[in-house]
Amino acid sequence: CGHLTSVRVVRVSLLELAPILQASHHHGARVASRGRKMAGGGATIEELKDVLRETLENRGALGGVRAHLRAEVSHALEDRAEVPRPDISNENLVINELIREYLVFNRYRSTLSVMLPESGQPATPPFDRDFLARELRVRESDSSRKLPLLYTLLSNAQGSK
């Protein structure tokens, strides 16, 4: 399923390139500064790669593809290692939950997909936000409840200086 996401990103980007390809074809063969020309006198392969890379970077997809690839490599290495994770301490369980909430809020899905198996954190959160806030004695407001607890902890720590 994760592999299909990457394919979709590239497919959409290629569709965005179609007008560029057609325009280069209709304006006649171009003299390319590098790379070889495509059949029909269109853009060169190198030019297409450059445009595709730029399009993916501008849409923020290239970083996501790279992060996804890193996560997949990490998972593959873990599968081979088959080293059982040590028991997770209560402190690490709480800290990892704060980090999970932060990663989910900021949509750092690839980072989360690597963090959970590496840390030994359960895939399903072991407790909810209210429990964490009570345990950490976090003073919250209506607006702070819309943000991860890490933001509130930071704000409270800065306010107590």
Side-chain angles (χ1 to χ4, degrees), residues 21-33 36-44 47:
L21 296 174
Q22 288 176 336
S24 68
H25 178 69
H26 291 299
H27 294 321
R30 296 187 319 170
V31 177
S33 59
R36 65 177 201 268
K37 280 194 283 189
M38 303 245 330
T44 68
E47 289 170 329

Short mmCIF file of all heavy atoms in Angstrom, two decimals, residues 21-33 36-44 47:
data_model
loop_
_atom_site.label_atom_id
_atom_site.label_comp_id
_atom_site.label_asym_id
_atom_site.label_seq_id
_atom_site.Cartn_x
_atom_site.Cartn_y
_atom_site.Cartn_z
N LEU A 21 5.57 18.71 -22.25
CA LEU A 21 6.02 17.81 -23.31
C LEU A 21 5.37 18.15 -24.64
O LEU A 21 6.02 18.19 -25.68
CB LEU A 21 5.73 16.35 -22.94
CG LEU A 21 6.46 15.81 -21.73
CD1 LEU A 21 5.95 14.41 -21.41
CD2 LEU A 21 7.94 15.80 -21.96
N GLN A 22 4.06 18.42 -24.61
CA GLN A 22 3.36 18.77 -25.83
C GLN A 22 3.87 20.08 -26.40
O GLN A 22 4.06 20.21 -27.60
CB GLN A 22 1.85 18.86 -25.57
CG GLN A 22 1.23 17.50 -25.34
CD GLN A 22 -0.23 17.61 -24.99
OE1 GLN A 22 -0.70 18.63 -24.51
NE2 GLN A 22 -0.96 16.53 -25.23
N ALA A 23 4.11 21.06 -25.54
CA ALA A 23 4.59 22.36 -26.01
C ALA A 23 5.95 22.22 -26.67
O ALA A 23 6.21 22.80 -27.72
CB ALA A 23 4.67 23.35 -24.85
N SER A 24 6.83 21.41 -26.09
CA SER A 24 8.15 21.26 -26.68
C SER A 24 8.06 20.51 -28.00
O SER A 24 8.82 20.77 -28.93
CB SER A 24 9.09 20.54 -25.72
OG SER A 24 8.69 19.20 -25.54
N HIS A 25 7.09 19.62 -28.13
CA HIS A 25 6.93 18.88 -29.37
C HIS A 25 6.37 19.78 -30.48
O HIS A 25 6.83 19.74 -31.61
CB HIS A 25 5.99 17.68 -29.14
CG HIS A 25 5.73 16.88 -30.38
ND1 HIS A 25 6.70 16.13 -30.99
CD2 HIS A 25 4.61 16.74 -31.13
CE1 HIS A 25 6.19 15.55 -32.06
NE2 HIS A 25 4.92 15.90 -32.15
N HIS A 26 5.40 20.62 -30.15
CA HIS A 26 4.77 21.48 -31.15
C HIS A 26 5.67 22.62 -31.60
O HIS A 26 5.50 23.14 -32.68
CB HIS A 26 3.45 22.05 -30.62
CG HIS A 26 2.39 20.99 -30.47
ND1 HIS A 26 1.93 20.26 -31.53
CD2 HIS A 26 1.73 20.54 -29.38
CE1 HIS A 26 1.01 19.40 -31.11
NE2 HIS A 26 0.88 19.56 -29.81
N HIS A 27 6.64 23.01 -30.82
CA HIS A 27 7.54 24.11 -31.19
C HIS A 27 8.75 23.60 -31.96
O HIS A 27 9.69 24.33 -32.18
CB HIS A 27 7.99 24.89 -29.96
CG HIS A 27 6.86 25.63 -29.29
ND1 HIS A 27 5.86 26.25 -29.98
CD2 HIS A 27 6.57 25.81 -27.98
CE1 HIS A 27 5.00 26.79 -29.14
NE2 HIS A 27 5.41 26.53 -27.91
N GLY A 28 8.72 22.34 -32.35
CA GLY A 28 9.82 21.81 -33.13
C GLY A 28 10.91 21.24 -32.25
O GLY A 28 10.88 21.36 -31.04
N ALA A 29 11.87 20.62 -32.88
CA ALA A 29 12.97 20.01 -32.14
C ALA A 29 13.81 21.09 -31.49
O ALA A 29 14.13 22.09 -32.11
CB ALA A 29 13.82 19.16 -33.07
N ARG A 30 14.15 20.86 -30.22
CA ARG A 30 14.98 21.81 -29.51
C ARG A 30 16.41 21.30 -29.48
O ARG A 30 16.64 20.10 -29.47
CB ARG A 30 14.48 21.99 -28.08
CG ARG A 30 13.10 22.58 -28.05
CD ARG A 30 12.63 22.94 -26.68
NE ARG A 30 12.97 21.95 -25.68
CZ ARG A 30 12.81 22.17 -24.39
NH1 ARG A 30 12.34 23.29 -23.96
NH2 ARG A 30 13.15 21.25 -23.52
N VAL A 31 17.32 22.22 -29.45
CA VAL A 31 18.71 21.83 -29.29
C VAL A 31 18.97 21.75 -27.80
O VAL A 31 18.82 22.73 -27.08
CB VAL A 31 19.65 22.86 -29.96
CG1 VAL A 31 21.10 22.47 -29.71
CG2 VAL A 31 19.35 22.97 -31.43
N ALA A 32 19.33 20.59 -27.34
CA ALA A 32 19.52 20.38 -25.91
C ALA A 32 20.95 20.66 -25.51
O ALA A 32 21.87 20.36 -26.25
CB ALA A 32 19.15 18.94 -25.56
N SER A 33 21.07 21.24 -24.32
CA SER A 33 22.41 21.52 -23.82
C SER A 33 23.03 20.27 -23.24
O SER A 33 24.24 20.15 -23.19
CB SER A 33 22.35 22.61 -22.76
OG SER A 33 21.52 22.21 -21.70
N ARG A 36 20.02 13.30 -24.21
CA ARG A 36 19.62 12.98 -25.58
C ARG A 36 18.17 13.35 -25.78
O ARG A 36 17.37 13.31 -24.86
CB ARG A 36 19.89 11.52 -25.88
CG ARG A 36 19.08 10.55 -25.08
CD ARG A 36 19.39 9.13 -25.53
NE ARG A 36 18.33 8.25 -25.17
CZ ARG A 36 18.28 7.57 -24.05
NH1 ARG A 36 19.26 7.67 -23.17
NH2 ARG A 36 17.27 6.79 -23.78
N LYS A 37 17.83 13.71 -27.02
CA LYS A 37 16.47 14.11 -27.32
C LYS A 37 15.55 12.91 -27.31
O LYS A 37 15.94 11.81 -27.68
CB LYS A 37 16.40 14.78 -28.69
CG LYS A 37 16.84 16.22 -28.67
CD LYS A 37 16.45 16.91 -29.92
CE LYS A 37 17.38 16.51 -31.03
NZ LYS A 37 17.20 17.29 -32.23
N MET A 38 14.32 13.16 -26.90
CA MET A 38 13.31 12.12 -26.92
C MET A 38 12.81 11.99 -28.35
O MET A 38 12.96 12.89 -29.16
CB MET A 38 12.14 12.49 -25.99
CG MET A 38 12.56 12.76 -24.59
SD MET A 38 11.97 11.66 -23.33
CE MET A 38 10.42 11.08 -23.85
N ALA A 39 12.17 10.87 -28.64
CA ALA A 39 11.61 10.66 -29.97
C ALA A 39 10.60 11.75 -30.26
O ALA A 39 9.82 12.13 -29.40
CB ALA A 39 10.95 9.29 -30.03
N GLY A 40 10.60 12.26 -31.47
CA GLY A 40 9.65 13.30 -31.85
C GLY A 40 10.17 14.69 -31.61
O GLY A 40 9.45 15.66 -31.79
N GLY A 41 11.41 14.85 -31.19
CA GLY A 41 11.99 16.19 -31.04
C GLY A 41 11.59 16.93 -29.80
O GLY A 41 11.72 18.14 -29.75
N GLY A 42 11.07 16.26 -28.79
CA GLY A 42 10.65 16.92 -27.56
C GLY A 42 11.83 17.22 -26.65
O GLY A 42 12.97 17.30 -27.08
N ALA A 43 11.53 17.37 -25.39
CA ALA A 43 12.55 17.67 -24.40
C ALA A 43 13.49 16.48 -24.24
O ALA A 43 13.15 15.34 -24.56
CB ALA A 43 11.88 17.98 -23.06
N THR A 44 14.68 16.76 -23.75
CA THR A 44 15.63 15.68 -23.51
C THR A 44 15.26 14.94 -22.24
O THR A 44 14.51 15.46 -21.40
CB THR A 44 17.06 16.22 -23.36
OG1 THR A 44 17.13 16.97 -22.15
CG2 THR A 44 17.48 17.05 -24.54
N GLU A 47 16.31 16.95 -19.27
CA GLU A 47 15.40 18.08 -19.01
C GLU A 47 14.14 17.59 -18.33
O GLU A 47 13.63 18.22 -17.40
CB GLU A 47 15.06 18.81 -20.31
CG GLU A 47 16.22 19.60 -20.87
CD GLU A 47 15.95 20.12 -22.28
OE1 GLU A 47 15.23 19.47 -23.04
OE2 GLU A 47 16.49 21.20 -22.58
#
